[in-house]
Every structure is written in structure tokens, then in C-alpha cells.
Amino acid sequence: MPRSFSKPHGASHRLERVSELIRHAVAEILARGEVRDDALDRHPLTVPAVRMSPDLKLATVLVMPLGGQGAGATIEALDRHKKELRALVARRVNLKFAPDLRFALDTSFEAQARMDALLRSPPVARDLKSRGDEGQG
């Protein structure tokens, strides 16, 4: 059987473990204020997820400023301190190579809010109610 068929299609357990270790490290570094920048000091950050490349050499850190204010300035500040953050993460997470860090705005909260609004909309509520009436007949 070819090797490509024997590999799992989802993220491996190791990728998930490393992602979580890096997420915790970045969150701790930012919470303790180890990186000094006015843009980072103004807005507390949430680090909901880290996506790792399969070779563990690239980590995309998804961040969201609390309240969603100043997202662009926050991403720019994180990009300015990328090297410093990488060194701090490397001290906390024991890996053969310290991954390069990329920062991106997490949009999952917005997507979830849109989905909630859609499910609460009158047309969807009407459709759900009519389906409930059909099942009782």
C-alpha cells in the first residue's frame, strides 16, 4: 500500500500537542508583558489557536484582541517582535528547531456570531417550527 494512503488526513496527535505547547507559551509571554510594545500593552490578547505546518517549522498564531479593537496595530506589533517572541517560545518549548512564527487575526468568533445570528433569524426559526409540526403528525 502506498505511504500516502496510510497517513491520517487530520492533524496528528504530535502536531496538536506542539500547537498547544506553543499556544500556551505565547499566551504566557504576552500575559506577563515580556515583550514591550505600546500596541500590545493597550489591548489584552487572546490566543485561541496555533496552526503548525506538518514539518513543525512554521507556526501560525491566531490572536484576537479583547473587544476586537486595534486588531491591525496588534498584528503589526507582533510582527515587529517576531524574532524576540520566537526566542522566548524556544526557551519554553523543547523542540529540535524553534518554529518561525506568523501572526494572523482569528476570525472564528465572527464566523460563530454570524452562524448564531443566522440560526436565530425569523425564516430559519419558521422552518424549524414547521418541521417540528410535521414530525408530530
Side-chain angles (χ1 to χ4, degrees):
M1 173 164 37
R3 290 177 54 108
S4 62
F5 292 123
S6 63
K7 291 183 182 180
H9 292 288
S12 72
H13 185 66
R14 182 167 186 237
L15 277 178
E16 292 173 0
R17 265 194 346 242
V18 172
S19 295
E20 226 14 57
L21 288 171
I22 291 174
R23 185 183 75 81
H24 281 282
V26 170
E28 182 181 340
I29 289 165
L30 295 173
R32 291 184 177 194
E34 293 180 36
V35 175
R36 306 301 304 162
D37 192 296
D38 289 337
L40 297 176
D41 292 340
R42 270 185 254 133
H43 303 287
L45 290 177
T46 303
V47 183
V50 172
R51 294 189 186 135
M52 296 296 301
S53 64
D55 62 358
L56 300 177
K57 292 191 178 187
L58 176 65
T60 303
V61 181
L62 301 177
V63 296
M64 178 56 118
L66 290 180
Q69 302 297 320
T74 301
I75 296 293
E76 289 173 8
L78 289 168
D79 284 337
R80 278 194 304 270
H81 298 284
K82 192 182 295 195
K83 283 185 177 181
E84 183 181 355
L85 281 164
R86 181 181 182 196
L88 291 169
V89 167
R91 287 187 204 132
R92 285 178 168 77
V93 180
N94 186 19
L95 293 171
K96 187 172 184 178
F97 299 102
D100 287 330
L101 300 178
R102 290 187 184 166
F103 297 96
L105 192 61
D106 182 33
T107 58
S108 64
F109 296 114
E110 294 170 7
Q112 186 176 8
R114 281 194 310 269
M115 187 64 81
D116 286 342
L118 180 64
L119 290 173
R120 289 190 190 111
S121 69
V124 173
R126 183 187 64 232
D127 289 346
L128 291 174
K129 185 177 179 185
S130 68
R131 283 191 180 180
D133 293 342
E134 289 173 6
Q136 295 177 1

